[in-house]
Amino acid sequence: MKRRQAIGVLGGVAGAQVLMPLDELHRLVAWRERVRASSAPPGASEAAARQAASLLTPARARAMEALADVIVPATDTPGASEAGVSEFVATLVDGWLDDDDRDRFLAGLDTVDPACRERFGSPFAECEPGEQAAFVRGLDQEVTRLREDPAADESQHFFHDIKRFTLTAYFTSEPGLAALGYRTTFRTFEGCAPLDAQEAGR
């Protein structure tokens, strides 16, 4: 799947109801598995992949994870951080997003900690829960105002990406699928696996 096609899938999820036809959900989960598989060379562990140099630096990853946990907090089901949202986003920015989309997203993410230090005295991940909620509410209101302005494009606001990346990552993860009531997930994706003679119909 080409990168722009992949982002179209993300946008479709963010702009529509989370519950979708089962075949569409399976297609999206399969795509997530391809994204995950692309984050490491064959034989490398997932932990080793996370340690590799990434444009989602540790500071950015902390902010991203904390933002995602405000959007999908842990309740009686796991929250966003438990679903590996920041690892998924790291893979997106390192190889799946178009350059303009990646740069806009990272530039916006880089404004979060300075804004929180100025407003609350701490980077976002270290703010009190109420402060985090207020900050995210303000970002969400900005996106809403853009959505209601016929001359604006809310998709150009980095928080629009934060939300769609978080929701896509969460609801295609095992914890997210379990929260929706789905019990079957793709463990691996082997798109180029050769067929044996029986499968090939020989």
Side-chain angles (χ1 to χ4, degrees):
M1 181 182 291
K2 294 180 180 179
R3 289 183 299 175
R4 190 164 293 281
Q5 291 175 313
I7 299 309
V9 172
L10 287 172
V13 173
Q17 59 183 0
V18 172
L19 295 176
M20 65 185 71
L22 188 57
D23 59 338
E24 287 298 307
L25 181 62
H26 284 180
R27 184 169 65 88
L28 190 58
V29 174
W31 176 73
R32 178 198 168 103
E33 292 301 319
R34 292 198 296 277
V35 172
R36 289 182 60 197
S38 72
S39 67
S45 68
E46 193 168 334
R50 287 197 298 269
Q51 293 170 359
S54 172
L55 291 171
L56 199 73
T57 62
R60 286 169 169 168
R62 282 193 296 273
M64 179 66 225
E65 186 169 285
L67 286 162
D69 271 337
V70 174
I71 296 168
V72 185
T75 55
D76 55 336
T77 57
S81 61
E82 296 169 90
V85 168
S86 61
E87 291 91 342
F88 181 79
V89 173
T91 302
L92 287 181
V93 301
D94 289 337
W96 285 76
L97 295 178
D98 290 336
D99 292 349
D100 290 345
D101 294 333
R102 178 200 64 214
D103 293 346
R104 184 187 68 251
F105 169 72
L106 291 177
L109 185 59
D110 285 342
T111 67
V112 170
D113 280 345
C116 287
R117 286 191 184 96
E118 181 176 345
R119 183 173 173 184
F120 304 118
S122 300
F124 182 80
E126 298 174 18
C127 289
E128 295 296 323
E131 295 170 339
Q132 291 181 340
F135 187 79
V136 167
R137 187 162 51 248
L139 292 175
D140 203 37
Q141 289 169 350
E142 290 177 23
V143 173
T144 299
R145 283 193 294 271
L146 291 174
R147 185 180 303 119
E148 295 171 349
D149 182 351
D153 181 2
E154 81 272 10
S155 70
Q156 299 302 300
H157 194 292
F158 83 97
F159 190 65
H160 179 269
D161 289 336
I162 293 281
K163 289 178 70 174
R164 68 185 183 132
F165 294 166
T166 296
L167 293 176
T168 299
Y170 184 76
F171 286 109
T172 56
S173 69
E174 290 192 34
L177 287 167
L180 290 176
Y182 292 107
R183 297 291 180 252
T184 302
T185 63
F186 294 91
R187 292 290 181 178
T188 60
F189 178 82
E190 299 178 358
C192 296
L195 300 176
D196 60 28
Q198 182 176 3
E199 291 170 329
R202 297 174 193 165

Coordinates of all heavy atoms in Angstrom, one line a residue, residues 104-138:
R104 N 4.8 18.9 9.2 CA 3.8 19.7 9.8 C 3.4 19.1 11.2 O 3.3 19.8 12.2 CB 2.5 19.8 8.9 CG 1.4 20.6 9.5 CD 0.2 20.6 8.7 NE -0.5 19.3 8.8 CZ -0.5 18.4 7.8 NH1 0.0 18.6 6.6 NH2 -1.1 17.2 8.0
F105 N 3.3 17.8 11.2 CA 3.0 17.1 12.4 C 4.0 17.3 13.5 O 3.7 17.6 14.6 CB 2.8 15.6 12.2 CG 2.7 14.7 13.4 CD1 1.6 14.8 14.2 CD2 3.7 13.9 13.8 CE1 1.4 14.0 15.3 CE2 3.6 13.1 14.9 CZ 2.5 13.2 15.7
L106 N 5.3 17.1 13.1 CA 6.4 17.2 14.1 C 6.5 18.6 14.6 O 6.8 18.9 15.8 CB 7.7 16.7 13.5 CG 7.8 15.2 13.3 CD1 9.1 14.8 12.6 CD2 7.6 14.4 14.6
A107 N 6.4 19.6 13.7 CA 6.5 21.0 14.1 C 5.4 21.3 15.1 O 5.6 22.0 16.1 CB 6.4 21.9 12.9
G108 N 4.2 20.8 14.9 CA 3.1 21.1 15.9 C 3.4 20.4 17.2 O 3.2 21.0 18.2
L109 N 3.8 19.1 17.1 CA 4.1 18.4 18.3 C 5.2 19.1 19.2 O 5.2 19.1 20.4 CB 4.6 17.0 18.0 CG 4.8 16.0 19.1 CD1 3.6 15.8 20.0 CD2 5.3 14.6 18.6
D110 N 6.2 19.7 18.5 CA 7.2 20.4 19.2 C 6.8 21.7 19.9 O 7.5 22.2 20.7 CB 8.3 20.8 18.2 CG 9.2 19.6 17.7 OD1 9.2 18.6 18.4 OD2 9.9 19.7 16.7
T111 N 5.6 22.1 19.6 CA 5.0 23.3 20.3 C 4.4 23.0 21.7 O 4.2 23.8 22.5 CB 4.0 24.1 19.5 OG1 2.8 23.2 19.3 CG2 4.5 24.4 18.1
V112 N 4.1 21.7 21.9 CA 3.4 21.3 23.0 C 4.1 21.5 24.4 O 3.6 22.2 25.3 CB 2.9 19.8 22.9 CG1 2.3 19.3 24.2 CG2 2.0 19.6 21.8
D113 N 5.3 21.0 24.5 CA 6.1 21.2 25.7 C 6.4 22.6 26.0 O 6.2 23.1 27.2 CB 7.3 20.3 25.7 CG 7.1 18.9 26.0 OD1 5.9 18.6 26.5 OD2 7.9 18.0 25.8
P114 N 6.9 23.4 25.1 CA 7.1 24.8 25.4 C 5.8 25.6 25.8 O 5.9 26.4 26.8 CB 7.6 25.4 24.1 CG 8.3 24.3 23.4 CD 7.4 23.1 23.7
A115 N 4.7 25.3 25.2 CA 3.4 25.9 25.6 C 3.0 25.5 27.0 O 2.6 26.4 27.8 CB 2.3 25.6 24.6
C116 N 3.2 24.3 27.3 CA 2.9 23.8 28.7 C 3.8 24.4 29.7 O 3.4 24.7 30.9 CB 2.8 22.3 28.7 SG 1.4 21.6 27.9
R117 N 5.1 24.5 29.4 CA 6.1 25.1 30.4 C 5.7 26.5 30.6 O 5.7 27.0 31.8 CB 7.5 25.0 29.8 CG 8.1 23.6 29.9 CD 9.6 23.7 29.6 NE 10.2 22.4 29.5 CZ 10.4 21.7 28.4 NH1 10.0 22.2 27.2 NH2 10.9 20.5 28.4
E118 N 5.3 27.3 29.6 CA 4.9 28.7 29.8 C 3.6 28.8 30.6 O 3.5 29.7 31.4 CB 4.7 29.3 28.4 CG 4.3 30.8 28.5 CD 4.3 31.4 27.1 OE1 4.8 30.9 26.1 OE2 3.7 32.5 27.0
R119 N 2.7 27.9 30.3 CA 1.4 28.0 31.0 C 1.3 27.3 32.3 O 0.7 27.8 33.3 CB 0.3 27.3 30.1 CG -1.1 27.4 30.5 CD -2.1 26.9 29.5 NE -3.4 26.8 30.0 CZ -4.4 26.3 29.3 NH1 -4.2 25.8 28.0 NH2 -5.7 26.2 29.8
F120 N 2.0 26.1 32.5 CA 1.9 25.4 33.7 C 3.2 25.2 34.5 O 3.2 24.7 35.6 CB 1.3 24.0 33.4 CG -0.1 24.0 32.7 CD1 -0.2 23.5 31.5 CD2 -1.2 24.6 33.3 CE1 -1.4 23.5 30.8 CE2 -2.4 24.6 32.7 CZ -2.5 24.1 31.4
G121 N 4.3 25.5 33.8 CA 5.6 25.3 34.4 C 6.3 24.0 34.3 O 7.3 23.7 34.8
S122 N 5.7 23.1 33.5 CA 6.2 21.8 33.2 C 5.9 21.3 31.8 O 4.9 21.8 31.2 CB 5.6 20.8 34.2 OG 5.8 21.1 35.6
P123 N 6.7 20.4 31.3 CA 6.4 19.8 30.0 C 5.1 19.0 30.1 O 4.7 18.6 31.2 CB 7.6 18.9 29.7 CG 8.2 18.6 31.0 CD 8.0 19.8 31.8
F124 N 4.4 18.8 29.0 CA 3.1 18.2 29.0 C 3.0 16.9 29.8 O 2.1 16.7 30.6 CB 2.6 18.0 27.6 CG 1.2 17.4 27.6 CD1 0.1 18.3 27.7 CD2 0.9 16.1 27.4 CE1 -1.2 17.8 27.7 CE2 -0.4 15.6 27.4 CZ -1.4 16.4 27.5
A125 N 4.0 16.0 29.6 CA 3.9 14.7 30.3 C 4.0 14.8 31.8 O 3.6 13.9 32.5 CB 5.0 13.8 29.7
E126 N 4.6 15.9 32.3 CA 4.7 16.1 33.8 C 3.7 17.0 34.4 O 3.7 17.3 35.6 CB 6.1 16.7 34.0 CG 7.2 15.7 33.6 CD 8.6 16.4 33.8 OE1 8.7 17.4 34.5 OE2 9.6 15.9 33.1
C127 N 2.7 17.5 33.6 CA 1.6 18.3 34.1 C 0.6 17.5 34.9 O 0.5 16.3 34.7 CB 0.9 19.0 33.0 SG 1.9 20.3 32.2
E128 N -0.1 18.1 35.7 CA -1.2 17.5 36.5 C -2.3 17.0 35.5 O -2.5 17.7 34.4 CB -1.8 18.4 37.5 CG -0.8 18.8 38.6 CD -0.4 17.6 39.5 OE1 -1.2 16.7 39.7 OE2 0.8 17.6 39.8
P129 N -3.0 16.0 35.8 CA -4.1 15.5 34.9 C -5.0 16.6 34.5 O -5.4 16.7 33.3 CB -4.8 14.4 35.7 CG -3.7 13.9 36.6 CD -2.8 15.1 37.0
G130 N -5.4 17.5 35.4 CA -6.4 18.5 35.1 C -5.7 19.5 34.1 O -6.4 20.1 33.3
E131 N -4.4 19.8 34.3 CA -3.8 20.7 33.4 C -3.7 20.1 32.0 O -3.9 20.8 31.0 CB -2.4 21.0 33.9 CG -2.4 21.8 35.2 CD -1.0 21.9 35.9 OE1 -0.1 21.1 35.6 OE2 -0.8 22.8 36.7
Q132 N -3.4 18.8 31.9 CA -3.3 18.1 30.6 C -4.7 18.1 30.0 O -4.7 18.4 28.8 CB -2.8 16.6 30.8 CG -1.4 16.5 31.3 CD -1.0 15.0 31.4 OE1 -1.8 14.2 31.6 NE2 0.3 14.8 31.4
A133 N -5.7 17.9 30.7 CA -7.0 17.8 30.1 C -7.4 19.2 29.6 O -8.0 19.3 28.5 CB -8.1 17.4 31.2
A134 N -7.1 20.3 30.3 CA -7.4 21.6 29.9 C -6.6 22.0 28.6 O -7.2 22.6 27.7 CB -7.1 22.6 31.0
F135 N -5.4 21.6 28.5 CA -4.6 21.9 27.4 C -5.1 21.1 26.1 O -5.2 21.7 25.1 CB -3.1 21.5 27.6 CG -2.2 21.9 26.5 CD1 -1.7 23.2 26.5 CD2 -1.7 21.0 25.6 CE1 -0.8 23.6 25.4 CE2 -0.9 21.3 24.6 CZ -0.4 22.7 24.5
V136 N -5.4 19.9 26.3 CA -6.0 19.1 25.2 C -7.3 19.6 24.8 O -7.7 19.7 23.6 CB -6.1 17.6 25.5 CG1 -6.9 16.8 24.5 CG2 -4.7 17.0 25.6
R137 N -8.1 20.1 25.7 CA -9.4 20.7 25.4 C -9.3 21.9 24.5 O -10.0 22.1 23.6 CB -10.2 21.0 26.7 CG -11.6 21.4 26.5 CD -12.4 21.3 27.8 NE -11.8 22.0 28.9 CZ -11.3 21.3 29.9 NH1 -11.4 20.0 30.0 NH2 -10.7 21.9 30.9
G138 N -8.2 22.7 24.9 CA -8.0 23.9 24.1 C -7.6 23.5 22.6 O -8.0 24.2 21.7

